Amino acid sequence: MKQRSRTEYSMINIVVNLGGYGLNTLIGFACRIVFVRTLATDYLGVSGLFTNILSVLSLAELGIGSAIGYALYKPLAENDEEKIASLMQFYGKAYKLIGMFVAVIGLLMMPFLNDIINNPPDINENLYFIYLLYLFNVVFSYFFSYKSTLLSAAQRNYIVTGYNYVITIGQSLFQMVYLVLTHEYIGYLIIQIVGGALYNVWISCKTNKDYPYIKNKNVTPLSKTETKSLLWNVKALTVNKLSGVLVNNTDNIAITYFDGLKSVGFASNYVLFSTTLDSLITRTFNALTGSVGNLNASKDTEGRYAFFKVLNLANFWLYGWAAIGMAFVSGDLVRFFYGESYVLPLKIPLILAINFYTIGMLHASYTYKSTLGLFKYGQYILIFTGIINLVFDVVLGRVFGVFGIYVATLIARMCTNLWYEPYVVYRYGLGKNPLLYLGRYCVFTVILVFTGGICYFLCSMCNFTVGLNILLKCVICTIIPNGVFVFCFWKISEFKYLRERAQTIIIKISRKISLNKEKK
């Protein structure tokens, strides 16, 4: 198998992630438009609710994936096949047990569905049968998906995402045709299940082919010391994951309880834009995770700190730009794609954009925390994030409905992980004063608020047709933020680094294109 440099792996991962994601997103939006036009609003609510419930059940994964990913970096760098096989054997057994556990807990939760859904939804199918289909889809993945961790740790995430795009694009096309012809939801879900199964089996076969030694059942098991160290990291990640699930995956449950499934359906259209943008940027950072892990294993503290600042600036640039666009363009996009009846007041996309930005700004910290193995820090304080979120969901949800529930999420994060995660990375990973991060974060926030104010003023003047408004606002929310950011950061070393790397990549691509033309 051909070995590549860290930079080459990073670029391949990013290109595959961004290129495939663009096509996948367009087809996904088209599929959602067909969904909204052919099925009742409550189906959107049911989809969002069951996805959230099963995301809560994913707590059973206990952070094993991240811990194994971290444990694989060193043996992969040293080409220690025996150790890799031992880790994957442990991982496989753990995931199969987790899959069975999720199945049992998922079945036990079925009697409580009526307590969450106060008003019967406007759907034709049996609600419990739909839930069982969602549950089966999640449980099945545990028996195969764990092998993708090995590819990602080996800086070959482009294979994982590439396979995923092929399957999801084909799946969406089949779903659109099926909905147009039948207007029937169960078949739509079955196509989704088949697509998920094909992906998991395909990625499993690919991993077995590229790393055949992981199929050896006679490998030496992990020692007690190694198992203890691994379980210690798992324990730390479990608490972190619990916090994330309670914050990120309970909103739809709370909205259903206080405002009903229709409100989940309306809000989900806006959430879709935020999750799409977040997935796009997250995939870029995920593509770098393996390379950052390799860098952190070979560089000194100053080298790590220098690259963290580069990553943090890129983090702000992408999430700040995207948040502004989401706040001021998403309302017109909902109006254009789904109709006037689905449009919500500006405060909803605005609070979603703020939440999107604040959690997005933690990506650089999360990347460094996972690749430096700082799992144990914050394992208890972050549980308060979820508790605060649930408390404020109840308090603000009763008074302000959907808006209050999203504000509760912001309050919970501001009280805990927005400041603590960077603190851990600076204090224990980089050996720097965390106030350095705080100072830079404040500068970023001032620049973003100033830029957002300009964009809001200009976008408020766009009172034309929906299509023209979208075009003009996209132009405004692209030129203004990027123009302001370039002006503010032109002279700092992090921006110079990003600019030089971009120029180097463009030159390399141009040379390859020229060579290919000459060969032809």
Side-chain angles (χ1 to χ4, degrees):
M1 188 171 61
K2 182 182 177 182
Q3 294 295 317
R4 294 183 169 89
S5 70
R6 191 165 55 229
T7 300
E8 287 178 317
Y9 273 126
S10 294
M11 287 313 305
I12 294 172
N13 283 329
I14 290 173
V15 168
V16 172
N17 268 288
L18 298 184
Y21 190 73
L23 179 59
N24 190 41
T25 300
L26 288 174
I27 294 177
F29 271 127
C31 186
R32 189 175 181 88
I33 292 169
V34 173
F35 188 104
V36 170
R37 305 286 173 147
T38 55
L39 297 172
T41 305
D42 280 3
Y43 284 103
L44 276 178
V46 168
S47 176
L49 174 64
F50 288 167
T51 299
N52 267 195
I53 290 175
L54 294 172
S55 294
V56 173
L57 288 183
S58 71
L59 276 172
E61 194 265 344
L62 298 177
I64 291 176
S66 297
I68 291 290
Y70 171 71
L72 283 168
Y73 288 139
K74 184 177 180 180
L76 280 167
E78 298 173 351
N79 198 29
D80 187 346
E81 295 183 357
E82 181 75 15
K83 184 65 64 182
I84 294 169
S86 297
L87 286 166
M88 292 305 295
Q89 184 185 76
F90 176 87
Y91 194 16
K93 290 178 179 178
Y95 250 45
K96 288 167 185 174
L97 288 173
I98 290 167
M100 291 185 283
F101 177 79
V102 169
V104 172
I105 298 299
L107 291 172
L108 291 175
M109 287 189 66
M110 289 184 66
F112 300 99
L113 293 180
N114 282 332
D115 295 325
I116 298 173
I117 305 172
N118 294 319
N119 299 315
D122 180 22
I123 63 175
N124 298 321
E125 296 81 2
N126 183 279
L127 196 64
Y128 293 100
F129 181 60
I130 294 175
Y131 175 78
L132 285 173
L133 289 177
Y134 272 92
L135 180 61
F136 174 81
N137 197 28
V138 171
V139 170
F140 183 84
S141 68
Y142 279 104
F143 290 84
F144 294 93
S145 65
Y146 69 93
K147 291 184 180 178
S148 65
T149 301
L150 176 56
L151 292 171
S152 297
Q155 305 182 65
R156 303 177 71 206
N157 199 54
Y158 60 89
I159 295 176
V160 178
T161 53
Y163 282 23
N164 182 54
Y165 290 143
V166 171
I167 293 296
T168 53
I169 288 170
Q171 172 187 302
S172 295
L173 292 172
F174 276 111
Q175 286 177 317
M176 282 191 285
V177 172
Y178 184 83
L179 284 177
V180 169
L181 295 177
T182 67
H183 292 218
E184 198 269 325
Y185 186 60
I186 296 297
Y188 170 91
L189 282 182
I190 291 174
I191 294 172
Q192 185 170 304
I193 292 169
V194 171
L198 286 174
Y199 165 73
N200 284 307
V201 172
W202 193 11
I203 204 73
S204 177
C205 292
K206 173 63 177 175
T207 309
N208 288 340
K209 179 182 177 182
D210 290 354
Y211 305 92
Y213 52 84
I214 67 173
K215 295 185 291 182
N216 183 8
K217 296 182 179 179
N218 297 319
V219 296
T220 304
L222 295 177
S223 67
K224 290 184 178 180
T225 302
E226 290 170 327
T227 303
K228 184 178 179 180
S229 175
L230 189 62
L231 292 177
W232 176 264
N233 285 337
V234 169
K235 173 178 170 288
L237 285 162
T238 299
V239 182
N240 288 343
K241 186 163 185 179
L242 174 61
S243 168
V245 168
L246 291 178
V247 174
N248 300 321
N249 299 109
T250 56
D251 284 349
N252 281 347
I253 298 173
I255 293 171
T256 300
Y257 184 78
F258 289 114
D259 271 15
L261 280 171
K262 279 189 170 59
S263 293
V264 174
F266 289 142
S268 67
N269 293 318
Y270 288 87
V271 173
L272 176 65
F273 293 125
S274 66
T275 53
T276 299
L277 289 170
D278 181 60
S279 295
L280 177 61
I281 302 172
T282 298
R283 287 171 188 276
T284 302
F285 280 93
N286 286 347
L288 295 171
T289 300
S291 298
V292 173
N294 182 275
L295 178 144
N296 284 332
S298 58
K299 292 288 185 180
D300 57 17
T301 301
E302 289 303 316
R304 296 171 186 170
Y305 179 55
F307 192 73
F308 178 87
K309 290 192 293 183
V310 171
L311 206 60
N312 198 36
L313 175 62
N315 210 164
F316 165 74
W317 199 300
L318 293 173
Y319 275 95
W321 175 19
I324 288 173
M326 193 172 76
F328 304 128
V329 184
S330 58
D332 289 291
L333 288 172
V334 169
R335 184 177 289 107
F336 181 79
F337 286 117
Y338 309 122
E340 186 70 37
S341 61
Y342 285 88
V343 178
L344 297 174
L346 177 62
K347 64 182 181 180
I348 298 299
L350 187 61
I351 188 62
L352 285 172
I354 294 172
N355 281 334
F356 166 84
Y357 170 77
T358 53
I359 194 63
M361 277 298 290
L362 290 174
H363 267 297
S365 298
Y366 283 144
T367 300
Y368 264 63
K369 187 177 180 182
S370 64
T371 56
L372 288 170
L374 303 173
F375 303 118
K376 65 180 180 180
Y377 296 104
Q379 58 178 307
Y380 297 114
I381 191 174
L382 291 182
I383 196 68
F384 289 105
T385 309
I387 296 172
I388 294 169
N389 184 64
L390 288 175
V391 171
F392 278 94
D393 270 350
V394 174
V395 175
L396 299 180
R398 288 183 183 278
V399 179
F400 301 106
V402 176
F403 178 72
I405 290 168
Y406 291 139
V407 171
T409 301
L410 178 62
I411 293 172
R413 287 173 177 156
M414 289 179 67
C415 291
T416 53
N417 56 347
L418 285 188
W419 63 269
Y420 191 77
E421 297 294 341
Y423 170 81
V424 167
V425 171
Y426 267 65
R427 176 72 175 82
Y428 302 106
L430 301 175
K432 299 292 181 180
N433 189 337
L435 291 177
L436 293 172
Y437 178 87
L438 178 62
R440 176 160 294 208
Y441 194 95
C442 290
V443 171
F444 286 160
T445 302
V446 170
I447 293 171
L448 186 65
V449 171
F450 172 76
T451 307
I454 296 174
C455 291
Y456 172 72
F457 173 74
L458 294 175
C459 287
S460 65
M461 299 172 67
C462 298
N463 296 307
F464 307 101
T465 62
V466 177
L468 185 57
N469 283 344
I470 292 173
L471 177 62
L472 291 174
K473 289 182 180 182
C474 284
V475 171
I476 291 168
C477 293
T478 297
I479 293 177
I480 299 300
N482 285 288
V484 172
F485 296 167
V486 168
F487 177 80
C488 292
F489 303 120
W490 181 261
K491 293 185 178 181
I492 69 172
S493 60
E494 294 84 33
F495 180 75
K496 290 179 181 178
Y497 175 89
L498 289 171
R499 189 174 71 242
E500 289 169 1
R501 297 300 293 175
Q503 290 172 347
T504 302
I505 291 165
I506 292 171
I507 291 171
K508 286 183 178 180
I509 293 173
S510 299
R511 286 177 180 173
K512 286 185 177 181
I513 293 173
S514 298
L515 288 172
N516 289 334
K517 287 183 178 179
E518 289 176 3
K519 289 179 181 179
K520 291 179 180 179

